[in-house]
Amino acid sequence: MDNNIGYRISELRKQAGMSQFQLAKVLDIATSTLGMYETGKREPSLKVMNRIANYFNVTTDYLLGRPEKKDDNTKTADIDDDDVIFTYEGRQIPKEDLELIRRIMRGTRNDIK
């Protein structure tokens, strides 16, 4: 399977049951331009790529053929609750309330009916 942008656009269009003319109209580009994207003769601008991603509810990474999972070499930061301020409706949630929320979410609060 080819991972180029044109292939992905073509597959998304076909899955949606759309003609090139219909999609080109939605994207506000010429049908011939869309055809060139799909055949790999041209690549869409970032603006058009964003329109495509938004229309089909996919990421631009998907269009670019990037893997959906993070690389194993990706580093993550360890963050504890002291590093984060939790808010609800613009007000900070006190730490004791956070613990109660955690217990409720885990189902370990004794007085839950």
Side-chain angles (χ1 to χ4, degrees), residues 22-36:
Q22 291 169 317
L23 181 56
K25 189 171 182 172
V26 167
L27 300 175
D28 195 29
I29 60 174
T31 305
S32 60
T33 301
L34 179 59
M36 286 189 275

Side-chain angles (χ1 to χ4, degrees), residues 16-70:
M18 298 176 79
S19 68
Q20 284 184 338
F21 175 80
Q22 291 169 317
L23 181 56
K25 189 171 182 172
V26 167
L27 300 175
D28 195 29
I29 60 174
T31 305
S32 60
T33 301
L34 179 59
M36 286 189 275
Y37 294 162
E38 290 187 4
T39 59
K41 294 178 182 171
R42 278 183 70 177
E43 289 187 357
S45 66
L46 292 176
K47 184 176 177 181
V48 173
M49 199 176 321
N50 275 319
R51 283 188 207 149
I52 295 166
N54 288 336
Y55 183 78
F56 289 112
N57 197 28
V58 297
T59 64
T60 53
D61 278 348
Y62 171 81
L63 294 175
L64 293 168
R66 291 187 176 161
E68 295 194 21
K69 291 187 176 184
K70 289 182 182 178

